Amino acid sequence: MERVRVLVVDDSALVRKLMTTMLACDPEIEVVGTAADPLIAREKIKLLNPDVLTLDVEMPHMDGLTFLENLMRLRPMPVVMVSSLTVQGAEVTLRALELGAVDFLAKPSSDLANSFGQSAQEICAKVKQAATARPRARTAVRKLEVPPRLSADAVLPRVQTSGTRGGSPIIVIGASTGGTEAVRVVLESMPPDAPPILVTQHIPEAFSGPFAARMDRCSAMRVCEAQDGQPIQTGHAYIAPGSHHLLVMWDGAKYVCRLHDGPPVNRHKPSVDVLFRSMAASAGVGTIAVLLTGMGDDGARGLLELKQAGAATLVQDEASSVVWGMPGAAWKLGAAAEMLSLDHIAARLLALARQPHDGVSRT
């Protein structure tokens, strides 16, 4: 069956070579060409008609963001940004996602060949998932040697919910591919006195802080990167650090954020399943949970546990998702009571928060 055709755009000859070598090792991917700058890339897109573009941020003649903006206006196609692991690189990458990029790769700042080589599996997976952002026939998933997949049990054993302790309900959000923009749409629609919100977004450690700062600028809520022991307050949103799982625990008289440096769950750290399970155990029916766009199924089982604990559960619909993996998996499990387009999710979360939560599931 047809392979995913990729054009690699980067001003670094070393990066072009490394990307080409790693992508070419996957039988489901064909590297149809490379380009050293956007002007060359523009001509090669016309000539080669690739399915996916990997795009560097800083390049001669035209920066990656300008090229991306023009591309999405004139010839929309799946683009995976390649950005340095720096604060500046994180800000630019988040802007690229706003402009329409599907996902991004973190470019190491040192020991490029070895660091990129260790990420070969992730690079191939991101390129293939980017191709699924447009309907197309897919080949079978390649069987790769991968680490064992751990469930949330590796971080937090499942226990019987103790029920809500009263007070404001807590909203929890899980997201991955396409989620940085989906989370922004939800948060910017929230009033300053909205119920507390906790977000687990699959994102590297260097990007979670800038992501939280960007969300703080666009939302009337106070948005920050979560810290261990931080009290959970109305009008505040907490973003999971890219280096730790985020949990919610009851600490005497209040709910607090807890950070856990455990192993990846569903190959993600932070993991949505971990956040959702902690809410099922500590708050139960006092929880409102939504699973947004993302590849894979992290969060699907956690959402089911929350529904079984009496929480209100929602997923984003396929039409408004970049990749309907995580919400689709949850929907198929019967974990969500409702499925909504992204534009209607914030209003529904607020409506659910105004309903009484007396131990009966709000549907």
Side-chain angles (χ1 to χ4, degrees):
M1 297 183 70
E2 189 176 354
R3 293 185 291 176
V4 176
R5 295 163 49 82
V6 183
L7 177 65
V8 175
V9 184
D10 199 294
D11 66 334
S12 166
L14 174 59
V15 171
R16 294 197 301 272
K17 181 179 179 181
L18 291 171
M19 290 284 290
T20 299
T21 300
M22 286 182 288
L23 291 170
C25 289
D26 193 309
E28 299 175 16
I29 296 175
E30 177 187 3
V31 179
V32 295
T34 65
D37 64 56
L39 300 183
I40 298 173
R42 184 174 58 191
E43 298 306 314
K44 290 199 173 184
I45 290 171
K46 298 176 185 176
L47 178 67
L48 301 171
N49 193 30
D51 301 313
V52 177
L53 199 71
T54 68
L55 180 62
D56 189 17
V57 172
E58 298 180 1
M59 291 180 293
H61 305 305
M62 183 186 298
D63 68 89
L65 290 182
T66 301
F67 179 64
L68 175 66
E69 188 170 13
N70 291 336
L71 183 68
M72 289 302 164
R73 179 171 51 88
L74 300 173
R75 191 193 185 283
M77 64 179 296
V79 175
V80 178
M81 301 301 295
V82 181
S83 178
S84 58
L85 278 170
T86 64
V87 172
Q88 181 180 1
E91 287 286 349
V92 173
T93 300
L94 292 170
R95 173 61 180 154
L97 295 172
E98 289 180 359
L99 291 173
V102 174
D103 208 340
F104 63 91
L105 301 170
K107 182 191 296 184
S109 57
S110 61
D111 194 11
L112 200 61
N114 185 52
S115 299
F116 250 145
Q118 293 174 350
S119 304
Q121 178 189 334
E122 177 188 8
I123 291 170
C124 291
K126 283 180 178 286
V127 165
K128 288 189 289 186
Q129 83 182 49
T132 67
R134 297 189 309 174
R136 55 179 293 108
R138 307 304 304 144
T139 54
V141 177
R142 182 188 178 198
K143 293 182 179 178
L144 299 172
E145 293 295 325
V146 296
R149 176 178 167 135
L150 302 178
S151 73
D153 293 339
V155 173
L156 182 67
R158 186 174 183 180
V159 299
Q160 176 114 19
T161 177
S162 56
T164 181
R165 271 85 173 182
S168 174
I170 297 176
I171 297 171
V172 287
I173 299 174
S176 186
T177 309
T180 54
E181 279 306 288
V183 170
R184 179 188 62 79
V185 169
V186 174
L187 290 182
E188 72 179 5
S189 301
M190 291 291 171
D193 60 347
I197 298 177
L198 293 100
V199 179
T200 288
Q201 161 76 47
H202 297 160
I203 199 166
E205 179 178 0
F207 285 70
S208 54
F211 174 56
R214 180 176 286 267
M215 294 303 99
D216 186 56
R217 292 193 294 270
C218 73
S219 175
M221 301 183 72
R222 297 293 302 273
V223 185
C224 64
E225 189 176 37
Q227 300 179 21
D228 190 53
Q230 189 173 17
I232 294 172
Q233 299 176 305
T234 296
H236 289 66
Y238 308 86
I239 308 290
S243 58
H244 287 74
H245 297 295
L246 174 61
L247 299 81
V248 175
M249 300 290 185
W250 181 254
D251 184 19
K254 60 185 180 301
Y255 288 106
V256 299
C257 298
R258 287 296 180 197
L259 303 184
H260 194 293
D261 193 17
V265 170
N266 302 319
R267 303 196 177 97
H268 293 290
K269 182 178 179 182
S271 162
V272 181
D273 266 344
V274 171
L275 173 61
F276 284 5
R277 173 170 287 186
S278 75
M279 288 300 298
S282 61
V285 73
T287 307
I288 303 167
V290 59
L291 199 52
L292 302 177
T293 175
M295 180 187 178
D297 63 0
D298 185 35
R301 284 170 292 277
L303 195 70
L304 180 60
E305 291 177 17
L306 277 167
K307 186 180 181 185
Q308 292 168 343
T313 56
L314 301 82
V315 293
Q316 184 178 350
D317 69 1
E318 185 171 7
S320 65
S321 296
V322 174
V323 178
W324 203 58
M326 289 159 51
W331 186 253
K332 291 169 187 174
L333 275 180
E338 301 179 62
M339 178 166 57
L340 300 170
S341 68
L342 179 60
D343 290 339
H344 294 104
I345 285 176
R348 184 57 179 153
L349 293 174
L350 291 171
L352 288 166
R354 290 191 292 267
Q355 295 181 14
H357 46 282
D358 54 1
V360 180
S361 178
R362 294 158 297 182
T363 59

